[in-house]
Amino acid sequence: MSVSADTLVAGLESAIGSSRVTGDAALCTKYAVDGMIPSVVASPASALQVAEIVRFAKAHKLAAIPFGNGTKTRIGMPPRRYDLALEVTALNQIAYYDPADLTLSVDAGMSLAKLNEALAEQQQFLPLAVPFFEESTVGGAIAAGLSSSLRSSYGSARDFLLGAEFVNGAGALTKSGGRVVKNVTGYDLHKLLIGSLGTLAAITRLNFRTFPLPQGYGQLLANFSSVEAVNEFKSMVVRSPLSCTSFDILSAEATARVAKATGSCEPARVPNGQWQTCIGFEGDESVLRRYSSDLTKYAQQCRAERYFLLEADAAKTLSAALRELLTTVVRSSEHATVFKITTLPAFSVDILRLRELAAQYSMPSSIFASAAGPLYFALEPPPLKDETIATLAQISSEVLEYAARHQGQACILFCPPELKRLANVWGSATPDAGIMRRVKNAFDPQNIFAPGRFVSGI
Amino acid sequence: MDKQIIRGLEAILGAGTVLHRPEDLLLYEYDGSVEKGRPGAVVFPSTTEEVARVVKLAAQHDVPIVGRGAGTGLSGGALARTGGIMIAFTRMNRILELDFDNQRAVVQPGLVNLELTRAVEHAGLYFAPDPSSQKSCTIGGNVSENAGGPHTLAYGVTSNHVTALELVLPDGEICRVGTRRGDSLGYDLTGLIVGSEGTLALVTEISVKLLRKPESVKTLLAIFETVDDASETVAHITARAITPAACEMLDGWTLRAVEDFIRAGFPRDSGAVLLMELEGLAEVVASQAAAVEEVCRLHHAREVRIARDAAERELLWKGRKNAFGAMGRLAPSNYTLDGVIPRSKIPQALRRIQEIGEKYDFRIGNIFHAGDGNLHPIVLFDPRDPVQYEKAVEASAEIIRYCVEIGGALTGEHGIGMEKSELMPLLFSDDDFDLMRRIHDAFNPVNALNPGKVFPLNKGCGEITPRAQAAVLANPL
């Protein structure tokens, strides 16, 4: 940063109006990322103002972090520099919606929950069922790239994001893709924005394919006494003709959290050492009957300890609790440390190694996974001491090795800032790090956006 | 091509393995499009290392490189627009690994699309992207163009099924992007490379997802008196949020040509048909079939036939997939457009295409992926007649411009290639081009890979010039 905070505020005020800029210390604190507090917060009212701000940042060599509702700022490494919070929640309209085409164009700052309320009026929804759902902005959900619990049947964001509009590091409002469901016109730059953690561009608008709300919904819960039995059950379901909406696997500790969140006695937490699988399915009555009957049969064949079916409202409540399991863990303690592990298969017998690892260091842990998505391994350490952080660092390196052994990758998704001083949350550099740096440089040659937060020091 | 380069290529690949005589190169100056571009030499490497060595040699001599699969592409993507070395992946056609448990396969780029499905169908699996050319097109070509097909309506295009790639960059460096699982850490480089039309890197290995075959399949043929009724039906099916696995339309004129050629069972006296496939659980298919039939009747369908068995289903699909061949019997040349529009606007778009045809005095046939809004108007013309030729140029340009005007895009699945590079300014601003160019240069800084594709040669012209369009239609097959 080459200028004082006051000069920054004045400069930005003249660019986008005084009511949209603040240098107030208390307000700026709310936009802190890993303890770093920006000097100024700018809240543009339009995509063109976002471009004005980025050009200003470029001219003054500022580092900027695009900001939604701030629910996931703990993801990633601490920024190397951070001068300006680029808060886009004033961009919060549905720009275009053609229910008959099932396509949508929405401003990045609109909340996911509000968007889905609007879609529900047309009996449609966006299957971006990600943690922090109620507070997330659409742009934040895409930039953070968290997995949607519905991806078993609806795919992940890259499968239904049709296009995007964004301000790149040159301060130019640019776009890629379109608003049609099939399109190979130009490079798919919008796919790069998914999970980019604000390091490439400030997203201003996103185009999606929408989906019809299901006619009915159900869940089957089945408890198993061993990982082997869970795997046998999962394999049977995957090889069956059924195409389930979601397939979650929870350790006993995780079921306790879900039971608390749903506020009901069912599904009760399962005894320690057991595992619970929760399978979502949807369709009309005849389809729901088929799922219920087949899944029950499979659960019996795999010697489930217990199994039960949930209908409509109870199933939806459970589904929301499962979606927010990560949220509740992260919010339970600022020391909570959650690893995101993607291996093939997602869940194997070897998973017990992770539990042993936690036990070896006397660290309370839980595991929850989606058959189509990542596996989360959560540690909930007691109040922090220096040796706790050292222990977490030790466990981290072992988890990263575990993922590598299973043709996969792992990162530390959430952890106390102290751990980030000892460990890179992204692990070691990936083989494609060089290309990623080139891509970053193409989007953001002056390294304005969130420098240092991302993979390989990007 | 310079003799020194030929000798260098033979040193890498073996004596007598390099095609460089004009008569040998003739075949490689065409693909499935109306474009032409002759390479200086064609090579057939067997390994990634050989590809890398060829690329390094080309870089040393400042010669461009173009990758080629089966050459079935429809936009000139696999043509050597500025000469140079063509790397044909014909010999890199092996399946490297099949992982049935995790529903993954690792293949080389020269593998023919349908061969993969044939190799895994005994395990109840298949590879979903199914372009009409799937009996001959390669998966490498599918990756390059982000190919679609009728069933992409339900299952997505190629990029939805690719999780990792091995690449050779223009400097000969070999690298990997993505993971077999998918969801790799960092930017989605796999998603960027798929559909980049061979302008960023050469793809030498592909990890793909395999899908499980559905329990039940029902193929419906809905028969209408008018195109209007059929297109209103598609819009209504979409609006009712019924998602068939495929939903294809053939207008009456086109289906008659197909019947003369294939005898697929399309009724010759109809105005249009919709060929729809419903897949999934038996219960899902049953309720979808009832809903689809209801919508068809609402829009005056004369009849909704259900294919009785696999043979009848295959015959209907044969008619659809060979339709473009049938067109060749009607006129000396045809130009198959590839535009995409919002599905709610299909009825008005088809009416407009009809008007444009009348305005220019052409019969324009329509056979297309209706469920995706992916139009394929076919303009039949005689290129030897200069007046007809000019009019075909103008009519085609007007149709594509109209697609963009109503919220659509230039291409749904054929790619930009040489064919539409000059139309890109209809959709993209100078700032958009600037970023795309920077991404291009991040991979391909001296434009050594597939030059003359995707980007307009007249950057920022903003107009479809008659000259550019004339280039599109020059040298028809």
Side-chain angles (χ1 to χ4, degrees):
Chain A
M1 186 167 76
S2 56
V3 289
S4 71
D6 288 347
T7 315
L8 276 189
V9 171
L12 282 166
E13 280 181 349
S14 72
I16 64 166
S18 58
S19 63
R20 306 211 153 268
V21 182
T22 180
D24 178 85
L27 283 173
C28 286
T29 307
K30 292 183 179 169
Y31 294 84
V33 174
D34 277 332
M36 289 189 72
I37 299 167
S39 308
V40 57
V41 179
S43 309
S46 68
L48 290 176
Q49 285 195 349
V50 174
E52 287 264 354
I53 294 165
V54 174
R55 284 197 291 272
F56 182 88
K58 185 182 160 204
H60 294 87
K61 297 186 166 48
L62 307 181
I65 296 185
F67 222 94
N69 280 330
T71 53
K72 296 173 283 286
T73 52
R74 286 170 62 193
I75 299 177
M77 290 298 283
R80 272 197 296 276
R81 298 177 290 121
Y82 182 22
D83 308 305
L84 165 68
L86 182 42
E87 197 257 331
V88 298
T89 53
L91 309 182
N92 57 12
Q93 302 297 307
I94 293 177
Y96 178 92
Y97 178 29
D98 181 354
D101 186 41
L102 291 98
T103 53
L104 166 87
S105 187
V106 60
D107 291 344
M110 187 169 201
S111 92
L112 265 181
K114 274 198 177 147
L115 172 61
N116 274 292
E117 276 170 28
L119 297 183
E121 287 173 17
Q122 300 291 335
Q123 299 302 307
Q124 292 180 12
F125 79 117
L126 184 68
L128 198 59
V130 289
F132 307 93
F133 182 85
E134 293 297 333
E135 293 142 87
S136 278
T137 59
V138 183
I142 289 297
L146 292 183
S147 184
S148 162
S149 55
L150 300 177
R151 63 185 290 173
S152 287
S153 58
Y154 292 95
S156 61
R158 96 197 272 270
D159 299 312
F160 49 80
L161 178 67
L162 304 175
E165 187 187 79
F166 48 91
V167 175
N168 66 24
L173 186 59
T174 40
K175 65 179 174 301
S176 86
R179 216 178 46 222
V180 280
V181 297
K182 192 174 176 192
N183 187 3
V184 293
T185 313
Y187 294 150
D188 275 356
L189 302 181
H190 48 284
K191 290 204 174 92
L192 293 169
L193 301 174
I194 301 169
S196 65
L197 216 58
T199 56
L200 293 179
I203 303 170
T204 53
R205 190 168 281 176
L206 293 156
N207 302 340
F208 293 103
R209 180 177 193 161
T210 59
F211 293 81
L213 279 170
Q215 285 171 274
Y217 191 70
Q219 285 258 6
L220 174 110
L221 280 74
N223 301 344
F224 296 93
S225 59
S226 71
V227 176
E228 288 84 354
V230 170
N231 266 336
E232 190 189 342
F233 179 58
K234 187 187 72 161
S235 181
M236 200 174 275
V237 174
V238 167
R239 285 164 190 272
S240 78
L242 306 178
S243 70
C244 302
T245 313
S246 59
F247 193 120
D248 293 287
I249 305 165
L250 282 67
S251 71
E253 302 81 6
T255 62
R257 282 200 185 281
V258 173
K260 197 173 162 195
T262 53
S264 65
C265 52
E266 295 291 356
R269 70 166 292 172
V270 304
N272 274 341
Q274 283 197 13
W275 298 83
Q276 184 167 68
T277 57
C278 311
I279 298 121
F281 47 91
E282 57 194 34
D284 64 20
E285 270 183 41
S286 67
V287 176
L288 297 181
R289 270 199 305 275
R290 168 78 188 274
Y291 273 96
S292 302
S293 135
D294 283 14
L295 288 171
T296 303
K297 189 174 71 193
Y298 301 148
Q300 286 165 348
Q301 284 173 5
C302 295
R303 301 168 309 280
E305 298 293 316
R306 285 186 68 194
Y307 58 87
F308 34 97
L309 287 158
L310 297 182
E311 285 175 9
D313 290 346
K316 273 190 192 161
T317 306
L318 173 63
S319 184
L322 291 170
R323 183 192 70 212
E324 300 300 338
L325 190 47
L326 177 68
T327 316
T328 52
V329 169
V330 170
R331 289 193 169 154
S332 67
S333 148
E334 59 182 15
H335 306 136
T337 300
V338 182
F339 298 91
K340 179 180 140 188
I341 304 171
T342 50
T343 54
L344 201 66
F347 189 82
S348 71
V349 178
D350 226 24
I351 205 72
L352 294 175
R353 174 74 195 113
L354 294 178
R355 291 182 74 133
E356 285 162 15
L357 197 58
Q360 189 184 325
Y361 294 98
S362 311
M363 194 80 80
S365 72
S366 59
I367 290 173
F368 43 104
S370 154
L375 179 142
Y376 295 111
F377 175 43
L379 298 171
E380 294 167 54
L384 283 191
K385 296 180 204 144
D386 285 350
E387 58 265 31
T388 323
I389 293 295
T391 303
L392 285 174
Q394 179 59 34
I395 296 176
S396 302
S397 69
E398 294 190 40
V399 170
L400 298 181
E401 277 170 30
Y402 166 87
R405 273 202 309 279
H406 290 81
Q407 297 188 75
Q409 292 177 321
C411 69
I412 308 171
L413 197 60
F414 291 92
C415 72
E418 292 86 347
L419 181 58
K420 297 184 183 182
R421 291 190 206 119
L422 290 185
N424 187 324
V425 299
W426 302 108
S428 52
T430 53
D432 50 7
I435 304 183
M436 286 195 202
R437 280 195 201 96
R438 288 192 238 172
V439 166
K440 160 75 176 176
N441 190 49
F443 269 85
D444 181 22
Q446 281 194 19
N447 209 2
I448 290 170
F449 290 120
R453 282 187 85 194
F454 202 49
V455 175
S456 302
I458 289 170
Chain B
M1 169 123 328
D2 189 316
K3 288 215 167 54
Q4 199 192 339
I5 300 174
I6 304 287
R7 279 199 297 275
L9 290 170
E10 288 185 333
I12 296 167
L13 300 163
T17 62
V18 179
L19 299 185
H20 58 89
R21 291 180 306 185
E23 60 269 34
D24 290 333
L25 298 174
L26 207 57
L27 180 66
Y28 295 90
E29 72 180 24
Y30 294 103
D31 63 0
S33 73
V34 293
E35 314 287 343
K36 257 169 102 174
R38 187 180 295 185
V42 184
V43 295
F44 305 85
S46 303
T47 65
T48 300
E49 288 67 32
E50 285 181 354
V51 173
R53 289 176 67 194
V54 170
V55 169
K56 278 182 188 162
L57 180 81
Q60 279 162 19
H61 292 275
D62 202 16
V63 168
I65 291 270
V66 181
R68 183 178 174 101
T72 56
L74 293 162
S75 59
L79 297 181
R81 190 170 204 173
T82 59
I85 300 169
M86 177 173 281
I87 297 185
F89 285 99
T90 320
R91 287 185 182 164
M92 291 178 69
N93 63 349
R94 286 185 302 135
I95 295 172
L96 300 174
E97 201 179 324
L98 292 176
D99 177 356
F100 294 119
D101 285 344
N102 293 307
Q103 296 180 213
R104 292 289 188 278
V106 184
V107 305
Q108 290 187 313
L111 180 72
V112 168
N113 173 301
L114 197 57
E115 294 295 319
L116 179 55
T117 290
R118 286 192 176 137
V120 299
E121 60 191 353
H122 69 276
L125 301 173
Y126 72 106
F127 180 55
D130 64 337
S132 292
S133 54
Q134 72 181 132
K135 284 181 183 164
S136 48
C137 66
T138 64
I139 295 180
N142 298 163
V143 165
S144 189
E145 300 297 315
N146 194 9
H151 290 77
T152 56
L153 174 56
Y155 305 115
V157 290
T158 303
S159 77
N160 304 110
H161 301 276
V162 176
T163 63
L165 299 167
E166 180 189 68
L167 308 174
V168 174
L169 298 176
D171 61 0
E173 183 192 341
I174 299 168
C175 62
R176 287 179 176 275
V177 298
T179 57
R180 194 170 301 183
R181 165 67 195 259
D183 267 353
S184 56
L185 290 177
Y187 303 133
D188 181 9
L189 297 174
T190 309
L192 172 67
I193 300 289
V194 178
S196 61
E197 305 194 21
T199 61
L200 302 182
L202 290 167
V203 172
T204 49
E205 191 183 296
I206 304 149
S207 296
V208 299
K209 295 179 188 173
L210 300 170
L211 297 192
R212 201 155 285 282
K213 277 199 240 167
E215 166 185 86
S216 172
V217 179
K218 202 169 257 190
T219 306
L220 285 75
L221 185 73
I223 301 158
F224 297 87
E225 301 296 347
T226 67
V227 168
D228 237 22
D229 282 341
S231 55
E232 293 285 359
T233 302
V234 174
H236 195 161
I237 285 174
T238 310
R240 284 265 308 258
I242 306 161
T243 308
C247 176
E248 305 282 305
M249 192 197 291
L250 289 84
D251 68 15
W253 185 62
T254 316
L255 70 85
R256 277 184 284 282
V258 170
E259 268 310 287
D260 289 345
F261 185 41
I262 308 273
R263 309 213 183 284
F266 299 139
R268 298 177 53 86
D269 61 342
S270 60
V273 297
L274 290 177
L275 175 59
M276 288 172 283
E277 200 139 84
L278 308 170
E279 295 185 352
L281 273 192
E283 288 80 354
V284 172
V285 170
S287 69
Q288 280 194 342
V292 164
E293 223 174 314
E294 185 194 325
V295 176
C296 290
R297 303 272 181 217
L298 207 60
H299 293 281
H300 322 296
R302 185 209 294 174
E303 190 187 346
V304 181
R305 285 185 201 161
I306 296 175
R308 280 162 301 190
D309 51 29
E312 199 173 327
R313 181 163 66 240
E314 272 168 33
L315 191 59
L316 286 170
W317 278 110
K318 191 176 169 195
R320 166 62 187 90
K321 292 202 171 185
N322 289 289
F324 294 108
M327 292 292 110
R329 294 156 58 97
L330 298 183
S333 188
N334 67 72
Y335 184 26
T336 304
L337 305 182
D338 170 40
V340 56
I341 55 164
R343 293 160 303 174
S344 50
K345 294 180 175 162
I346 290 175
Q348 72 182 72
L350 289 186
R351 285 194 286 270
R352 183 83 187 104
I353 289 169
Q354 180 72 23
E355 286 165 16
I356 292 171
E358 283 163 14
K359 176 177 159 191
Y360 290 95
D361 202 18
F362 279 117
R363 289 302 298 260
I364 300 180
N366 283 290
I367 173 161
F368 64 101
H369 311 304
D372 287 320
N374 187 185
L375 306 177
H376 290 318
I378 307 170
V379 183
L380 297 187
F381 70 107
D382 183 350
R384 293 163 298 193
D385 176 347
V387 178
Q388 254 197 55
Y389 173 77
E390 271 306 307
K391 285 200 306 185
V393 167
E394 285 169 35
S396 307
E398 200 164 325
I399 291 170
I400 293 296
R401 199 181 275 126
Y402 177 74
C403 289
V404 173
E405 268 170 29
I406 60 171
L410 298 178
T411 165
E413 58 182 5
H414 295 179
I416 297 294
M418 286 160 73
E419 183 200 17
K420 285 181 175 153
S421 56
E422 302 308 317
L423 306 185
M424 288 283 273
L426 283 177
L427 271 182
F428 294 109
S429 68
D430 283 352
D431 283 334
D432 299 334
F433 279 123
D434 184 53
L435 181 58
M436 276 193 271
R437 175 62 71 187
R438 290 177 60 83
I439 288 289
H440 174 275
D441 292 354
F443 286 82
N444 185 11
V446 296
N447 206 11
L449 275 186
N450 215 4
K453 311 292 171 67
V454 181
F455 294 89
L457 299 180
N458 287 323
K459 184 175 171 283
C461 66
E463 288 281 321
I464 311 173
T465 63
R467 183 182 294 272
Q469 266 295 314
V472 164
L473 293 181
N475 305 312
L477 284 168

